[in-house]
Amino acid sequence: MDMQNQIPTPATEEDNYASLSNLLQEFTTIPNIDKAWLFNSHSTSKAGMFSINQPDLVANKTKKLMLSCQIFKESESSVNFLWAPFPIEISGVSLIIPSPSGSKLLLIWNPKDDESPCRFEIWSQSRMEKDFHIPQSLHGSVYNDRWFEGVSWNLDETFVAYVAEEPSLSKPEFRDAGYKKGGGCVPADKNCGTWKGQGDLEEDWGETYAGKRRPALFVINISSGEVQAVKGIDRSLSVGQVVWAPFHDGSEQYLVFVGWSGEKRKVGMKYCSNRPCALYAVRAPHHDSKSNEQEINSTQEWYILNLTRTISSALFPRFSPNGKFLVFLSAKSAVDSGVHNATNSLHRIDWPTDGKLHQSAKMYDILPVVTSAEEGCFPGLYCTTIHNNPWLLDNSTMIISSIWHSSEVLLSVNVLSGEVAHISPADPSFSWNLLTLDGNNIIAICSSPVDVPQIKYGTFTEKSKESIPWSWSDISSPMFRCSDKVRSSLFSLKCSILKIPIKEACQGIAKGASNPFEAIFVSSKSKKNDPLIVILHGGPHDVSLSCFSKSWAFLSSVGYSLLIVNYRGSLGFGEEALQSLPGKVGCQDVNDVLSAIDEVIKLGVASPSKITVMGISHGGFLTTHLIGQAPDKFAAAAAINPVCNLALMVGTTDIPDWCYVEAFGTNSKHSFTQAPSPQHLTLFYNKSPISHLSKVKAPTLFLLGAKDVRVPIYDGLQYARALKEKGVDVKTIMFPNDVHGLQRPQSEFECFLNIAVWFNKYCKLQVKDHT
């Protein structure tokens, strides 16, 4: 037989799994930098610590590593990083917080079970100085979620304030003879024939907070280990993001924190900045004695102050190094309209030099909400956090990471003048994120969908007409070294940002909503018309950024072009564009995605016969809408925890307000407090993908987290089962221990492996052998 004319045997699905899983593991092992800190060590150099996360698939957890370096500044524009030969794993550590001077390091281990204590270790440069074990009778786990999370040293490094779960409330206790009167505070002893009852339901903040107790404020004396709960804070307030206020001799020492009211029903907090909140100041406990309590009781009206009564949202309080200003972010646009995320604003309070606080302190607007920006101009502030120490040496300029259209950029903001400048390079196919500051210089991370992250060092130069005020240097590091296979795959790809014009804009539409939206397009440098995956973010008021994603890079390397659509309603394009979507979901966003697909077909870079679509949450809502509204357009689909039936979701989700705002518009943000009417349920159904199910033809993969309380699994299961009964090819994978984001390492791995295998099956893509 002529061997050259033999037809190769088609790869089986098992062959695909084996080959693609090897390739995916190559990408999965690439680590992420989480945080960085700098410390003064010598007159000519500084020491650096970089916190690194790396998935451990076998253990199904994320390893936390620490890599140190020595930083030598050779000239004003030249810097050299000398890295330690190996990172060190810090097993089980929940939080790492250096002291302001850098002379101490706090490590926090949260309890492993309901009985073990919380551990606080204080380290000096040479050894562990203190090791405190805090029983759960005082508090539970310290919050490390980047939202309620707050751990703050005071300036003289004698106390640490932090946010932790309040202790469990007492529960009824029973014995053989019945109820044990007065036994609620005593641990039940099973050997004595007693047991604890369940007690009243304690509401939580929904997705990822299920079962977690109210976040409360505590202070620990790092010399004695004495822990005190901060008094005067009503239990209706959930506390977070605490910082110490500047201290003046002869005045009270205050803590400033964010408080969210949970007096009525608690609704989901994760991914939702539209929950009303305020900045409060409270007197810090002095750990001395009864005299302080007597003074407090005599001046109770001054014990806790709401500093931001005139605004509906205040987040991430940051004091300037000289103590003159308190700057904070506001999500008032989200709170006031009801959308779960929107354009932010930035504000300032001048802190009293005498330490005497007043509820009537004047608030200044630094950066207002931008409704619509001209091409190339600042589109508004979109932040998920503000760095703990964002200040340049002038005490008035902050460096902030913010979304600008489809990329994340670095901004400098003068908190006195309101002047804002885009200081990272202007290439929109790259995204930048602040790691830490080195005086007036910046250490940042830069990446693109086809470039692994790179550490950058930014040096400020004097402004002039001929020069750019910031210059950026590449810093060689061992952290992002990847395999030859990954490097070769990424080198063969290119990335661009497409401007998609609005089709048939309605009369009366806001100016910002008539501007083009964007899509990130990733494709091969050498081939055209590869099979296309349309990727849709959730939210809908979120955004897909032009940064490195291991999952996206894997799908590109398999042989797909990616069309990552930031439809109108996404963050980063101004408030008018964002607010154009509520009340029009399933229509405006669907049409925007179809316009983006038509654009790449018109450009000749996508094959109309090999288009697939995938998305998570609202992206799954769009995915299942698209395969119903445009049934002949898609070869296959994948939906991750999708919203398929709003009429079902509204009664089971932790964010019923979201259902009303997105389906009916922002005027309906309070309607969730009542049971939905028959008319509401009908409209919910008609706005949902399930109303188009009878037209669906595309084989669809469903990936569902069993512990998802945002879009409970019944929503996706109902749609998947109905589709299967209709005769459409359906596959469903359930992740029993995962939540809405499918964030556990094994879940994410299996999710994207199955997406690749599923799409290959229906696009008939020949997979290279990666074993």
Side-chain angles (χ1 to χ4, degrees), residues 695-754:
K695 297 174 283 184
V696 175
K697 301 176 184 177
T700 306
L701 170 66
F702 292 87
L703 301 134
L704 308 175
K707 292 187 175 180
D708 184 355
V709 299
R710 180 61 42 90
V711 186
I713 57 170
Y714 309 108
D715 207 280
L717 280 177
Q718 180 190 54
Y719 186 97
R721 287 166 174 165
L723 206 58
K724 194 170 186 178
E725 288 292 330
K726 183 179 174 292
V728 176
D729 198 358
V730 168
K731 181 175 181 176
T732 302
I733 298 176
M734 185 81 70
F735 299 95
N737 297 310
D738 222 325
V739 291
H740 188 59
L742 295 187
Q743 295 165 338
R744 292 163 71 93
Q746 290 177 3
S747 304
E748 186 175 7
F749 184 89
E750 193 174 350
C751 176
F752 281 92
L753 175 60
N754 277 280

Side-chain angles (χ1 to χ4, degrees), residues 315-440:
L315 298 160
F316 304 115
R318 299 292 183 263
F319 282 98
S320 59
N322 60 10
K324 291 184 177 181
F325 315 121
L326 173 60
V327 175
F328 63 92
L329 192 73
S330 176
K332 63 179 182 178
S333 286
V335 173
D336 297 346
S337 67
V339 299
H340 75 283
N341 281 319
T343 314
N344 301 136
S345 53
L346 194 68
H347 306 270
R348 184 187 89 237
I349 295 172
D350 291 347
W351 200 252
T353 55
D354 58 4
K356 295 180 180 178
L357 301 186
H358 305 279
Q359 288 187 337
S360 58
K362 184 170 180 179
M363 188 175 68
Y364 299 89
D365 297 338
I366 302 170
L367 293 179
V369 170
V370 174
T371 54
S372 177
E374 298 298 325
E375 181 68 25
C377 296
F378 175 56
L381 193 60
Y382 301 89
C383 302
T384 55
T385 187
I386 295 179
H387 195 278
N388 286 336
N389 183 20
W391 300 94
L392 297 185
L393 297 180
D394 63 2
N395 283 292
S396 59
T397 302
M398 302 176 80
I399 305 299
I400 296 176
S401 300
S402 181
I403 298 162
W404 187 305
H405 296 178
S406 296
S407 60
E408 189 171 25
V409 303
L410 298 180
L411 304 175
S412 69
V413 180
N414 187 298
V415 302
L416 295 177
S417 67
E419 180 183 0
V420 58
H422 181 317
I423 63 172
S424 49
D427 185 349
S429 61
F430 283 82
S431 281
W432 292 68
N433 188 263
L434 175 65
L435 277 178
T436 191
L437 296 179
D438 179 15
N440 275 341

Side-chain angles (χ1 to χ4, degrees), residues 535-576:
I535 298 177
L536 304 170
H537 66 71
H541 309 297
D542 202 340
V543 66
S544 292
L545 294 172
S546 60
C547 60
F548 186 71
S549 159
K550 292 181 276 190
S551 304
W552 293 354
F554 161 68
L555 293 173
S556 299
S557 298
V558 171
Y560 291 95
S561 296
L562 307 181
L563 182 66
I564 306 157
V565 184
N566 285 321
Y567 45 85
R568 283 175 295 167
S570 301
L571 300 177
F573 295 85
E575 189 67 3
E576 286 182 349

Side-chain angles (χ1 to χ4, degrees), residues 479-536:
M479 282 173 275
F480 301 116
R481 290 175 189 162
C482 46
S483 69
D484 291 341
K485 190 183 296 183
V486 168
R487 195 162 47 249
S488 174
S489 295
L490 294 177
F491 184 75
S492 69
L493 302 171
K494 61 181 179 180
C495 173
S496 60
I497 308 295
L498 305 178
K499 300 278 188 183
I500 314 296
I502 305 301
K503 287 185 178 179
E504 302 175 3
C506 302
Q507 283 190 343
I509 190 171
K511 179 184 175 184
S514 62
N515 292 332
F517 60 95
E518 290 184 353
I520 303 166
F521 187 62
V522 181
S523 61
S524 169
K525 290 178 180 176
S526 58
K527 294 187 291 182
K528 281 191 175 182
N529 297 332
D530 277 339
L532 180 71
I533 302 177
V534 180
I535 298 177
L536 304 170

Side-chain angles (χ1 to χ4, degrees), residues 171-181 183-184 188-189 192-199:
K171 294 182 178 181
E173 190 172 331
F174 300 90
R175 56 185 174 183
D176 292 343
Y179 176 66
K180 184 177 180 182
K181 189 175 180 181
D189 186 347
C192 296
T194 62
W195 75 93
K196 286 282 188 185
Q198 293 304 309

